[in-house]
Amino acid sequence: MRINSLLIRKFLHGIIVALVPLYPQSSFAQQHKLDTTRIYAIPEITISEPYQIRETRAAIPIQVITAKELRSLNVLQVSDAVKHLAGVIVKDYGGIGGLKTISLRSLGAEHTVVSYDGVAISDCQTGQIDIGRFSLDNIDRLTVSNGQTDNIFQPARLFASAGQLNIQTLTPSFKKDKSTNAYVSLKSGSWGLINPSLRIEHKSSEKWLYSFNSEWMSADGKYPYTMHYGNNNDSISQEKRKNTKVENLRIESELFGNLSDKEQLRLKAYYFQSSRDLPGATTLYYDYASQHLWDKNVFIQSKYKKELNNRWALQASAKWNWSYQHYLDPDYKGINGKTENTYYQQEYYASTGILFRGWDNTSLSLSTDGSINTLNANLTNFAKPTRYAWLTALAGKYVTERVTFTASLLATVIEERTRAEDANRKYRKINPDISLSFKVLKEEELRIRMFYKNSFRQPSFNDLYYGEIGNRDLSPEKSAQYNMGVTYSKKINHFVPYLSATIDGYYNRINDKIIATPTKNIFIWSMVNLGKVEIKGVDITTKVVLQPSENIRLNISCNHTYQRALDITNPTNHTYKNQIAYTPRVSGSGQFGIETPLMNLSYSLLWVGKRYTLGQNLPENRLEGYQDHSVSLSKETKIANTLASFNLELLNLANKNYEVVKNFPMPGRSLRATIKIIY
């Protein structure tokens, strides 16, 4: 995208008047104390406001699910939780072990960065992250944001995507005179689910904290489903999912160093492995599948922050990541009688950043990242690509009680080489971002917000080098996002301590979208830059807290999304101005929870409208909408120095085998029970 001189001048002017020292504490923020932020390191700004207020103050749409809210959503994995957020599409291939990817506002999973404790997770092979691998056992909060977040003091890589899912894990906290916490839990339920976990936290001194978390999960996944077939799907048969067993193991260890009030260190080691049967599509007269997938992932990451003085702050992070994937299809009808592929990825990543608080309410940041990604495979004549990337982000922010303004400029340099090529391929790009939130009335938390963000996504190694499909001349996909919205929050009285609502209208456009097209025959495809997608939509969120008495609390929330995501590539194509595949026009969620001294009750609902499985919106390509209802009961009790909690969930009450992806039916009604002991 070419940036004209006027845009550059406006951007630089915005940088000069940009921000960040301290969010002023509004009287509204002081009036009620809900779930507040947990500060473990020196942030760009220090806040003690509730998460809900931060959602309505932000200049970009941001949605937060806290650990407390996660317990009432009837969810097992991160992928289950984010389905309840506005504008989020999770492509789910069914069951606990199925692949699950997140797309924000129909831009695609490759345009969404997933970060783990503030450091991005990468997959250079596919360009998308399987969020089904992340459980909720040690999660403090989930944050989904569209556009660029108001936090300008972060790695440059987090400026490079159209949206972000940040997974924040728990930070140890200890009661007085206690140096060790222990958490033991066991989940069990339908389809052979067994899921024990253990978390230990230890404080060796006031400066050093340590945590260890491990979890194992196993399920056979043999759930029943109803097969529909016939000319009008008027014939049915009762079947059972096959080849669906899954086993996962996750181990995390983390060291927290509070070296001083102005200096913190966080070091994490992570190990994950999974063994999954791949059940395949459910089609008539075919009920057999034998494919299997093994995954392993190890990474070590560190984060360091230091407040140098009242004006300057420094941060640095580094990461080494290794992943392995082994795919087996023992029944492939080829020369070898099977398909067996292995892939190895490695990444070396480092980031540094500085923050300058030069003027009242204003700050500037400069971050630079470098990474090296490699991919190897057991395939004949595999390219063995290596990608070098350098990203530099200059950002500024200005904040008052009534105004939040941010602007940034990201410079990207990418070089790539393969085993068989002497010349390197180089790519350079500059991407701007600007956002503004304005409080309309002095005495009311009514705000107008808007943002523009320009970004791109580099083709994945699969897009470029996968067998006869890859195309080494692909250009990056380019996206432009425009958003305008209104937010409102208020404490009405003691009976209604919190009320909020947001509505955002947006327009997104993707150019040079990478799509697969057939070449010589239907078995040989090629990746080409042909696509253009135009997305218009509206996201609406509402939350209300009711306090009818001192010991009874009601939490109610509702999200709704309307989207027209159209293919505008070529007016002569049959798909022109048709809704893109697997994107519903309407979707949403609702939650209701009641907290009492005796027990807590929660109800959650997901609804998704009809979608189309292909780009042509024909009746035969239509996938019907669905609703998913779930309820749960939970109880906490204290025995001596031990806290015990019990949770019983009834999932998919209507017992519908709805399909998120065609021919991959989801489980019907099921039961899940959890026991957790905290000492």
Side-chain angles (χ1 to χ4, degrees):
M1 177 179 179
R2 181 171 296 171
I3 306 173
N4 60 43
S5 59
L6 178 61
L7 178 59
I8 293 176
R9 288 198 300 271
K10 288 183 177 179
F11 172 77
L12 293 177
H13 180 265
I15 287 291
I16 292 173
V17 255
L19 147 260
V20 134
L22 191 67
Y23 256 109
Q25 294 297 312
S26 67
S27 58
F28 172 60
Q30 296 167 355
Q31 285 174 344
H32 50 293
K33 299 178 181 178
L34 301 176
D35 295 318
T36 54
T37 59
R38 183 193 302 248
I39 303 298
Y40 76 87
I42 302 164
E44 167 211 1
I45 44 180
T46 304
I47 337 177
S48 59
E49 292 175 325
Y51 287 119
Q52 294 93 327
I53 298 175
R54 295 182 63 192
E55 293 180 42
T56 57
R57 290 181 65 110
I60 52 97
I62 179 173
Q63 301 173 80
V64 180
I65 309 178
T66 65
K68 182 178 179 181
E69 292 169 332
L70 287 170
R71 290 193 292 270
S72 64
L73 277 181
N74 309 308
V75 292
L76 180 66
Q77 299 165 314
V78 167
S79 54
D80 302 322
V82 297
K83 292 178 183 178
H84 291 267
L85 300 178
V88 172
I89 297 175
V90 175
K91 190 174 286 188
D92 192 327
Y93 289 81
I96 295 174
L99 174 67
K100 298 165 177 64
T101 61
I102 180 174
S103 171
L104 302 182
R105 293 181 170 179
S106 299
L107 290 169
E110 298 87 352
H111 288 270
T112 304
V113 65
V114 179
S115 65
Y116 203 66
D117 290 328
V119 180
I121 300 170
S122 65
D123 187 323
C124 59
Q125 180 184 355
T126 65
Q128 54 190 8
I129 304 301
D130 180 7
I131 61 173
R133 60 181 267 196
F134 300 107
S135 79
L136 299 172
D137 183 65
N138 69 327
I139 300 301
D140 183 43
R141 65 185 182 273
L142 302 173
T143 305
V144 169
S145 55
N146 293 283
Q148 186 59 47
T149 68
D150 293 345
N151 177 15
I152 65 169
F153 195 33
Q154 59 181 349
R157 181 181 279 186
L158 300 186
F159 286 82
S161 61
Q164 182 182 150
L165 165 63
N166 182 43
I167 303 170
Q168 188 69 47
T169 60
L170 292 168
T171 300
S173 61
F174 300 89
K175 294 182 179 180
K176 187 178 180 180
D177 300 327
K178 193 174 183 183
S179 61
T180 301
N181 298 326
Y183 305 78
V184 180
S185 73
L186 174 65
K187 296 184 181 73
S188 184
S190 304
W191 331 130
L193 173 65
I194 300 176
N195 181 201
S197 68
L198 169 68
R199 178 178 176 85
I200 297 175
E201 301 172 344
H202 180 68
K203 179 173 66 173
S204 58
S205 68
E206 292 301 322
K207 289 187 175 182
W208 296 101
L209 312 177
Y210 170 78
S211 72
F212 172 84
N213 184 264
S214 65
E215 176 186 34
W216 180 73
M217 184 189 69
S218 175
D220 60 38
K222 296 180 180 179
Y223 55 86
Y225 68 95
T226 302
M227 169 79 77
H228 294 268
Y229 52 93
N231 293 332
N232 298 308
N233 283 332
D234 50 359
S235 299
I236 63 172
S237 64
Q238 300 301 316
E239 310 289 344
K240 182 171 284 192
R241 275 305 241 167
K242 297 179 175 63
N243 201 54
T244 54
K245 186 176 181 180
V246 57
E247 289 187 358
N248 293 341
L249 172 66
R250 177 182 57 83
I251 300 174
E252 290 185 48
S253 183
E254 194 159 13
L255 179 67
F256 303 81
N258 298 309
L259 306 179
S260 71
D261 292 340
K262 297 183 178 182
E263 186 178 14
Q264 286 83 28
L265 172 69
R266 188 168 184 172
L267 179 65
K268 178 190 288 287
Y270 174 97
Y271 175 78
F272 173 83
Q273 71 174 39
S274 72
S275 172
R276 292 181 279 180
D277 291 338
L278 303 179
T282 57
T283 56
L284 190 60
Y285 304 123
Y286 182 81
D287 62 354
Y288 176 76
S290 57
Q291 294 100 341
H292 197 90
L293 187 68
W294 294 267
D295 288 287
K296 291 182 180 180
N297 180 221
V298 179
F299 68 73
I300 300 172
Q301 68 182 41
S302 63
K303 291 185 67 178
Y304 172 79
K305 289 189 178 184
K306 184 173 183 179
E307 190 89 356
L308 301 176
N309 52 46
N310 292 334
R311 288 182 177 269
W312 293 92
L314 169 73
Q315 70 173 0
S317 57
K319 182 175 183 178
W320 170 75
N321 180 81
W322 176 87
S323 62
Y324 160 84
Q325 188 174 81
H326 177 195
Y327 169 77
L328 173 65
D329 182 358
D331 299 313
Y332 176 71
K333 309 304 180 188
I335 297 176
N336 298 323
K338 67 177 181 178
T339 297
E340 188 167 13
N341 297 335
T342 56
Y343 301 90
Y344 301 86
Q345 292 187 57
Q346 276 205 91
E347 180 184 55
Y348 301 90
Y349 167 82
S351 172
T352 60
I354 56 173
L355 178 71
F356 175 63
R357 306 182 185 95
W359 308 273
D360 291 343
N361 304 326
T362 305
S363 65
L364 299 173
S365 74
L366 179 66
S367 300
T368 183
D369 295 9
S371 63
I372 302 173
N373 290 89
T374 64
L375 178 66
N376 200 357
N378 68 335
L379 305 178
T380 303
N381 297 321
F382 187 68
K384 294 184 179 180
T386 300
R387 177 175 292 171
Y388 303 87
W390 295 267
L391 295 89
T392 301
L394 174 65
K397 188 172 178 180
Y398 174 81
V399 168
T400 67
E401 176 61 24
R402 300 188 68 174
V403 175
T404 300
F405 172 78
T406 65
S408 66
L409 200 62
L410 174 71
T412 303
V413 178
I414 295 175
E415 294 188 13
E416 203 163 289
R417 66 181 62 164
T418 62
R419 178 180 60 179
E421 296 177 348
D422 296 330
N424 296 344
R425 282 185 299 279
K426 299 181 180 181
Y427 183 80
R428 291 172 171 82
K429 185 72 174 175
I430 294 178
N431 297 101
D433 167 82
I434 189 169
S435 63
L436 172 68
S437 173
F438 176 73
K439 185 177 180 181
V440 179
L441 303 174
K442 185 176 181 180
E443 303 300 327
E444 293 285 343
E445 275 293 323
L446 175 65
R447 295 177 181 265
I448 295 174
R449 64 186 178 191
M450 60 194 73
F451 81 81
Y452 163 76
K453 183 174 176 64
N454 180 276
S455 60
F456 74 97
R457 76 99 170 170
Q458 189 73 1
S460 69
F461 284 164
N462 275 1
D463 293 335
L464 295 166
Y465 308 112
Y466 191 86
E468 296 186 66
I469 295 176
N471 177 356
R472 304 189 184 192
D473 295 322
L474 286 175
S475 298
E477 289 186 358
K478 304 167 186 68
S479 68
Q481 299 168 268
Y482 304 83
N483 185 96
M484 179 169 286
V486 178
T487 72
Y488 180 74
S489 61
K490 185 177 181 63
K491 175 182 179 180
I492 298 178
N493 51 40
H494 293 294
F495 179 71
V496 187
Y498 182 75
L499 169 69
S500 75
T502 70
I503 179 168
D504 287 275
Y506 53 90
Y507 173 81
N508 302 332
R509 186 182 176 101
I510 302 178
N511 290 322
D512 290 329
K513 187 168 181 64
I514 299 170
I515 59 175
T517 59
T519 55
K520 306 182 279 191
N521 56 58
I522 63 172
F523 300 104
I524 303 298
W525 292 61
S526 178
M527 309 303 294
V528 294
N529 289 117
L530 284 181
K532 294 182 181 179
V533 176
E534 182 181 72
I535 304 158
K536 299 175 182 177
V538 177
D539 288 343
I540 302 172
T541 73
T542 57
K543 291 184 180 180
V544 62
V545 176
L546 304 178
Q547 193 90 39
S549 71
E550 183 179 352
N551 296 322
I552 298 178
R553 180 187 178 101
L554 284 77
N555 301 294
I556 305 168
S557 63
C558 182
N559 300 321
H560 182 74
T561 295
Y562 174 81
Q563 283 186 3
R564 286 179 62 86
L566 306 180
D567 178 357
I568 58 169
T569 302
N570 188 339
T572 63
N573 288 349
H574 295 300
T575 60
Y576 184 68
K577 292 274 180 97
N578 280 207
Q579 189 87 344
I580 62 176
Y582 289 106
T583 302
R585 288 279 177 87
V586 295
S587 61
S589 67
Q591 297 87 38
F592 170 81
I594 178 170
E595 302 173 17
T596 71
L598 181 62
M599 66 177 59
N600 298 334
L601 169 68
S602 68
Y603 162 79
S604 62
L605 165 67
L606 283 172
W607 70 83
V608 173
K610 68 180 180 182
R611 299 137 292 146
Y612 293 91
T613 59
L614 297 173
Q616 281 188 272
N617 294 173
L618 302 175
E620 55 266 33
N621 296 332
R622 182 184 300 158
L623 196 59
E624 295 303 321
Y626 63 85
Q627 298 84 40
D628 188 322
H629 308 261
S630 298
V631 296
S632 70
L633 287 171
S634 62
K635 168 71 175 176
E636 286 189 354
T637 184
K638 190 170 184 179
I639 306 172
N641 294 324
T642 302
L643 181 66
S645 65
F646 308 90
N647 191 42
L648 185 64
E649 301 166 276
L650 189 57
L651 312 172
N652 194 353
L653 292 173
N655 197 30
K656 298 292 185 182
N657 295 120
Y658 60 85
E659 296 176 341
V660 178
V661 177
K662 186 175 176 61
N663 295 325
F664 286 84
M666 298 294 287
R669 187 184 301 116
S670 62
L671 189 68
R672 187 165 63 222
T674 304
I675 300 175
K676 188 171 187 178
I677 306 296
I678 303 174
Y679 174 76

